[in-house]
Amino acid sequence: MSNMEKLVAIYREVLKKPDLELKPELTARDVDNWDSLAHVQIIVEVEKKFGVEFDLDDFLAIRNVGDFFKLLQRYGVEL
Amino acid sequence: MFNGNYPKLQLLNEIFIEKYPFMGSTINNGFTAFGKTWAVEVEELLAAMFATNQQLTKAVDGYVRFAMDVTRRQSRFDDACEYPQKSFNQVADEVYLNDEYMERYYLPGLLLSHMLWPHHYRQSRFFTATFLRDMEVMGAKEFVDAGVGTGFLSRLTLAACPDITGVGFDVSPASKKFAELQVANYKLLDRYQCKLLNLCTQPTKVETDWLISAEVLEHLEDPLSFLQRLRVILRPGGKGFITAALNAAEIDHIYLYRNPIEVQDQLIEAGFTIEQYQSIPAYKPRKINIPTPEVVAFIVT
Ligand SMILES: C[S@@+](CC[C@H](N)C(=O)[O-])C[C@H]1O[C@@H](n2cnc3c(N)ncnc32)[C@H](O)[C@@H]1O
């Protein structure tokens, strides 16, 4: 599984949307059960899967999925 | 929802939706669950504490960081079912004595959580409907708030009882300052003082008939000895409102209470008699084998 596939699987699982397409412009506004708990669960799952630990300020700056891609790359995860 | 009646609340809603879309339903959820009374209280609080848009935006940033930190710690707790090992001194350095952390994140976060987290708001309603009502009916003249934090309960008490005077204690200079600010912003400071004191280690001669201590027990290494000290502060025949957070992994939670019985047993061992209690989960249990965070409040004599 590529890193991108792993990431898509995490979003789909946490948001309970098996067909979710992970586009860079996607935000919490576009998905009905993407609340703060789901937001943190995505981040915690990503931390576990990719062995990184984000600074809180970094993950608060995430406005959409594209921002998260960039953040992951900054933490050394190739997508 | 707003009809032009709640300009501050409306702005709060816009900030959430624009800046933190994953929290975009917070205000709508509050309105749906608690209605107009809630909206009026939030509007008043925001106007008193965060008068300018800039202040409100900064407070929301602090709140979101605080709430995300709590949620992330809770998510780790779901796996470990233990709080990470920390000493009180470690927590004091990292949190209570760290003015920057307290002023930017902890205090605005905690204050807004009193209104925005359903279990916190329900607990303050329980306080108002039971303990505070007794104080009003019995014409309480003075109270002590042990571990004031934001000063939220001190302020509610001073506002409800026009003749009462109060003393708050806290180990954190930032909490003392913030509690005094809140009380002053509601024009109640002439009946209140807040003192810096570590209630576990420093002596005090204070006594009261009305004692409040909300969400302090879980912050301590030895909550039983703290309760024994509170028992001495509360005069015989007096009444206390004592609460604790259970299974709630926060940066400054040291002592893990797993259920209300553990708190009850310590209260009894310290010499209190329990009159009533209420326990409120933070959210619906997610899985049977993962403990849900709760707040539990006891009214004791
Ligand atoms: C969660 S806050 C309390 C919440 C507050 N009662 C309210 O309703 O907003 C915990 C507070 O307890 C204070 N505290 C912790 N240990 C203490 C101690 N040993 N003596 C005095 N204050 C203490 C902290 O500084 C912090 O302000």
Side-chain angles (χ1 to χ4, degrees):
Chain A
M1 224 192 217
S2 71
N3 282 346
M4 185 54 93
E5 283 164 347
K6 284 185 197 158
L7 194 60
V8 172
I10 291 173
Y11 271 84
R12 288 181 175 172
E13 162 84 20
V14 172
L15 297 173
K16 300 189 178 59
K17 300 273 180 221
D19 304 321
L20 187 81
E21 294 287 327
L22 216 50
K23 299 208 183 83
E25 59 281 6
L26 190 77
T27 81
R29 251 167 295 187
D30 307 316
V31 184
D32 47 12
N33 37 11
W34 189 337
D35 58 8
S36 53
L37 189 63
H39 194 68
V40 171
Q41 275 172 345
I42 292 168
I43 287 155
V44 170
E45 284 307 312
V46 168
E47 287 182 332
K48 280 187 205 158
K49 271 256 152 53
F50 295 103
V52 291
E53 184 164 344
F54 301 114
D55 190 280
L56 265 181
D57 288 328
D58 282 339
F59 86 66
L60 285 180
I62 303 169
R63 297 280 170 265
N64 57 29
V65 166
D67 287 345
F68 198 32
F69 290 166
K70 282 187 214 142
L71 181 65
L72 272 169
Q73 280 158 344
R74 208 146 50 76
Y75 276 79
V77 177
E78 297 285 329
L79 290 174
Chain B
M1 177 160 74
F2 301 108
N3 291 328
N5 291 328
Y6 311 104
K8 287 276 174 194
L9 191 58
Q10 191 166 349
L11 177 59
L12 181 60
N13 190 44
E14 283 162 15
I15 300 172
F16 277 135
I17 291 171
E18 285 309 312
K19 234 176 144 179
Y20 303 109
F22 53 89
M23 290 204 167
S25 56
T26 306
I27 302 305
N28 196 19
N29 292 347
F31 240 120
T32 310
F34 304 118
K36 264 191 191 169
T37 324
W38 173 83
V40 169
E41 284 173 40
V42 186
E43 183 67 23
E44 269 176 24
L45 183 71
L46 299 179
M49 295 304 290
F50 313 114
T52 66
N53 291 2
Q54 202 194 2
Q55 283 171 327
L56 183 59
T57 308
K58 221 171 134 198
V60 178
D61 290 343
Y63 166 78
V64 174
R65 197 180 188 282
F66 175 81
M68 291 292 96
D69 182 52
V70 170
T71 315
R72 179 155 74 164
R73 285 173 200 276
Q74 193 66 34
S75 206
R76 290 174 181 160
F77 177 80
D78 287 351
D79 294 333
C81 291
E82 294 290 345
Y83 296 161
Q85 282 274 328
K86 273 185 190 176
S87 69
F88 181 83
N89 289 340
Q90 256 175 300
V91 171
D93 286 341
E94 196 182 356
V95 183
Y96 313 136
L97 306 177
N98 178 348
D99 287 351
E100 150 103 2
Y101 187 82
M102 292 296 280
E103 284 162 16
R104 281 186 64 187
Y105 310 120
Y106 188 95
L107 291 163
L110 192 58
L111 183 68
L112 289 174
S113 81
H114 280 299
M115 307 308 296
L116 302 182
W117 295 3
H119 63 307
H120 276 190
Y121 184 66
R122 288 200 172 96
Q123 185 170 76
S124 77
R125 286 207 315 195
F126 177 67
F127 171 78
T128 310
T130 55
F131 191 74
L132 196 49
R133 198 174 137 64
D134 282 354
M135 290 178 97
E136 287 175 72
V137 171
M138 314 261 295
K141 291 281 172 286
E142 43 72 35
F143 72 95
V144 165
D145 187 350
V148 292
T150 63
F152 186 76
L153 296 183
S154 284
R155 188 264 295 170
L156 286 180
T157 306
L158 292 159
C161 308
D163 299 324
I164 209 165
T165 59
V167 184
F169 293 100
D170 205 288
V171 73
S172 162
S175 289
K176 168 179 151 57
K177 194 168 136 200
F178 194 91
E180 285 172 343
L181 177 74
Q182 181 175 177
V183 170
N185 287 356
Y186 279 80
K187 313 229 170 337
L188 302 164
L189 195 55
D190 54 333
R191 293 188 277 121
Y192 188 67
Q193 359 166 1
C194 193
K195 297 182 181 175
L196 265 188
L197 191 83
N198 183 332
L199 286 154
C200 291
T201 55
Q202 295 174 290
T204 166
K205 289 207 169 67
V206 75
E207 284 188 349
T208 185
D209 290 327
W210 298 94
L211 173 70
I212 299 164
S213 186
E215 294 201 27
V216 181
L217 297 176
E218 66 280 4
H219 297 247
L220 308 173
E221 288 172 7
D222 180 5
L224 176 60
S225 2
F226 172 75
L227 286 171
Q228 286 161 338
R229 295 185 71 147
L230 291 188
R231 185 51 275 185
V232 176
I233 293 175
L234 184 65
R235 290 190 198 107
K239 215 172 243 210
F241 181 84
I242 299 178
T243 83
L246 323 176
N247 297 310
E250 295 186 21
I251 184 169
D252 53 346
H253 289 184
I254 296 176
Y255 190 95
L256 173 58
Y257 289 106
R258 296 185 191 270
N259 57 58
I261 298 168
E262 293 179 2
V263 188
Q264 169 209 268
D265 289 350
Q266 288 187 349
L267 284 164
I268 293 171
E269 196 175 339
F272 291 104
T273 302
I274 292 164
E275 274 201 344
Q276 55 171 311
Y277 81 96
Q278 191 185 52
S279 170
I280 312 165
Y283 39 75
K284 284 186 219 132
R286 290 205 296 272
K287 273 191 193 157
I288 204 81
N289 58 339
I290 298 179
T292 308
E294 262 174 78
V295 283
V296 62
F298 289 86
I299 297 182
V300 296
T301 54

